[in-house]
Each structure stands twice: as C-alpha cells, then as structure tokens.
C-alpha cells in the first residue's frame, strides 16, 4: 500500500511567518506534526511519502504514485485543500481527509472519498480494519479521546528538517479553560491529556539525532494544561539538556496564569524556554468577560506579561478586535496596551466565529434561545 500524505498551502497569516522566515533561509515555519504522527499510526509495511506544499511543489506524478492520498490541515488551509482534492479526483486517486479542518467542516467537502475525523489514534485503526476487509465507509469518527501516552513518535524521516524554522513536539492536548471563541475545547476537550516526560525526552532525542540544532516548539493547546505535570516535564528537560551537553531552546503557547507561579517560570527558564505565545486578547474588562476569558480577568495584565520577561521569556501575544462591547476607542487602547506591556510580536485579529464554538452557537441563535426560553 502506497500512501501519499499532503499538507496543503498555508496562506499569509501570523503563524505562517512566510516573509520573515526567508531571512533565515527557511521555507516554512513548522513541519506538519499531525501527518508525521498519522504516518506512525499506519502499518510499518505501508510505503509513505509526505509532500508539504509549503516547502515543495506537488507534482501529478506524486499523486499518481499513491494508492491513497491522505490530506490534513487547519481551517486556514481550506482553499488549498479544495484544489488538492480536485487534482486527486481528476487523477482518479482516492482521498482520505482528517485533522481540524475536516473534523469541523467535512460537510463542505463533497469530493473527498473518506474521512477520518477527530483524533487519529482512535479513527485510523477503524479505517485500517475496514481497509483489510476492502469495505471502506465514507466517515470514521469517534467522540472518544485517546490516551496520548500510547501515541507513537512522529516520523521525522518524512521531512527535510532543514527546510523549517522550528521542530514541533506535542506534550498535551486539550485546555482546562473555556474561552467562547476557541475551538480547542471542542476538538481536544477540557481535560488535558498528556504524554509522559520519558516519552517527550525520547522525541527530543530523536530530533537531536537528526542533527537539529535549532529551536523546538511545544505545540500544545496550553502548555500549562496540568501544572504539576508541566513542572515534572521541565525537570526532565533540564536533566536531559545537562546530559547531552547541548542546550536547545524552546517556544510554547501558555495561558497567562503561568505568570502567577515563580517556581514554574524559573523551571521554564532553566529548561531553555525563551519565547511564549500568550492569548492576551484585549485590555477591555467587559470584552474579557464577554468571551469568558476568566484567567485574564482580575489581574494586572501588564505586570503578568513583565513576569515572563523577568524570567528571560519574550512574550508574543494574541489580540482580538470586534467583541460586542468594543467601541471605536478599542484601536487606541489596544495600541497603547501593546506598547506599554512590551509585547514584541502582536497577532491582532478580528474576532472569528469558528464552527462548534460557543461564540458560533450564540451568533447562530441556538444557545441564546435555549438560555432565554421561559421555563
Ligand atoms: S486558554 Fe487558549 S486554548 Fe484554552 S480555551 Fe482559551 S483560547 Fe483556547
């Protein structure tokens, strides 16, 4: 069985860093960790290739080589995904689609032959079972959340690491918070599931063994999903860095309440964390309430941001414009806040209602109706 995995093109967004990474002689910011993990979930005897369209042109001969094309992406990759699916259809090669884009919007992809939705650790074995019998269904899905302690390490051999600015590692999935615009809770749940520190050290060692000496991104939904376990992991990383005699540096995404725990910040510093992305969203108290960003409320956000700097971590921040309570002063207030806090890279976006989120349901009228109907 020959499987071609395709990661569609990312448009210009904050996270693609398309223009700046050229200065570092890199083609893309991060390789597709999802597909590299899917590859590890497939039988060893399958032949696998991966084309990341952000680093490599997709050729018809690549598609024609395959028995099946696996395609995965995020919502921002929708346009490129549709083009890839059409190309496969024209070349009569069957497609199997999964990942956040298809889990959220699979009804919009009529030309896909089969879907493996939600988390692959559960749904890929279901697909493989039917593949053996030669009876594939159109949709494989499950609400069950897998224990990621059994998730195999991603297949690094599928990529040319030097094309990328960072290498990814995932320690946890899920986030205990419930911000109303965020689809993480929907996709990965509110109870963070974690890998063991030993599992992560093995993944870091594998990255080190392909001669990667750049920085590494913990692509967790929230690196602070489970504080005690995060500290356990950080201690293991400190020990590992000392042992290998090389000091790789780390980036991650973390909620602002991490700044309340100086022991955690000290461990992050010692483990080599130099940059954190924090969802700050807005200096407006009303808007923070509106979107249920509880962890950002009742605190001095500027003091919290400066705490990260005190421990040697640069703060990149996510900001949102367009909450119901925002008025025309919000642009100036956001600008002043970013300047005062010293957020070095600010991602400023318009509020988006992603499918499945509380915000989407509220705007759709469904949640409001059920909430306000008389008993
Ligand atoms: S803290 Fe971040 S990941 Fe968690 S629900 Fe809020 S926006 Fe989503």
């Amino acid at each position: 069985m020959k499987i071609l995995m395709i990661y569609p093109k990312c448009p210009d967004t904050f996270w693609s860093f398309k223009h700046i990474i050229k200065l570092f002689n890199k083609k893309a910011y991060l390789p597709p960790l999802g597909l590299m993990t899917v590859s590890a979930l497939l039988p060893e005897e399958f032949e696998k290739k991966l084309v990341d369209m952000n680093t490599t042109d997709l050729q018809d001969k690549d598609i024609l080589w395959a028995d099946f094309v696996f395609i995965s992406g995020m919502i921002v990759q929708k346009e490129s995904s549709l083009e890839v699916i059409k190309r496969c259809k024209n070349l009569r090669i069957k497609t199997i689609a999964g990942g956040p884009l298809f889990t959220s919007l699979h009804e919009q992809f009529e030309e896909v032959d089969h879907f493996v939705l939600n988390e692959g650790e559960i749904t890929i074995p279901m697909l493989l079972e039917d593949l053996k019998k030669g009876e594939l269904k159109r949709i494989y899905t499950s609400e069950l959340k897998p224990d990621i302690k059994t998730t195999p390490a991603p297949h690094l051999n599928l990529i040319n690491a030097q094309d990328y600015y960072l290498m990814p590692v995932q320690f946890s999935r899920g986030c205990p918070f419930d911000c109303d615009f965020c689809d993480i809770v929907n996709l990965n749940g509110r109870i963070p599931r974690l890998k063991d520190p030993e599992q992560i050290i093995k993944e870091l060692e594998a990255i080190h063994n392909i001669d990667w000496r750049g920085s590494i991104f913990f692509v967790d939904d929230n690196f602070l999903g489970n504080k005690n376990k995060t500290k356990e992991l950080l201690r293991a990383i400190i020990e590992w860095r000392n042992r290998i005699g090389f000091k790789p540096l780390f980036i991650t995404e973390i909620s602002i309440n991490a700044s309340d725990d100086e022991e955690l910040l000290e461990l992050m510093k010692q483990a080599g964390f130099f940059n954190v992305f924090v969802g700050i969203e807005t200096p407006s108290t009303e808007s923070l309430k509106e979107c249920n960003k509880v962890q950002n409320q009742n605190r001095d956000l500027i003091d919290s941001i400066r705490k990260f700097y005190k421990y040697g971590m640069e703060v990149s921040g996510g900001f949102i414009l367009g909450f119901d309570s925002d008025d025309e002063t919000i642009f100036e207030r956001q600008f002043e806040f970013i300047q005062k806090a010293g957020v070095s890279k600010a991602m400023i976006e318009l509020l988006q209602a992603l499918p499945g989120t509380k915000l989407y349901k509220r705007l759709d009228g469904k949640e409001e109706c059920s909430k306000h109907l008389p008993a």
Side-chain angles (χ1 to χ4, degrees), residues 315-352:
V315 176
S316 306
F319 294 89
I320 298 177
L321 293 165
F323 291 108
D324 286 352
S325 46
D326 284 349
D327 59 22
E328 64 274 20
T329 64
I330 193 63
F331 303 101
E332 198 57 35
R333 285 160 69 201
Q334 287 275 26
F335 177 78
E336 275 170 18
F337 177 88
I338 292 164
Q339 295 297 318
K340 208 161 155 201
V343 170
S344 59
K345 295 185 207 84
M347 178 185 83
I348 305 162
E349 300 281 359
L350 288 176
L351 183 65
Q352 302 268 337

Side-chain angles (χ1 to χ4, degrees), residues 174-186 189-190 220-223 253-257 277-279 281 291-296 320:
C175 175
F177 293 112
D178 197 13
C179 310
D180 85 337
F181 52 80
C182 177
D183 61 353
I184 291 297
V185 173
N186 232 26
R190 284 190 72 187
D220 296 30
D221 303 320
N222 181 356
F223 190 59
E253 300 181 314
I254 201 160
S255 48
I256 199 144
N257 54 318
F277 181 90
V278 182
E281 323 309 359
C291 68
N292 196 34
K293 193 100 193 171
V294 285
Q295 68 276 32
N296 290 31
I320 298 177

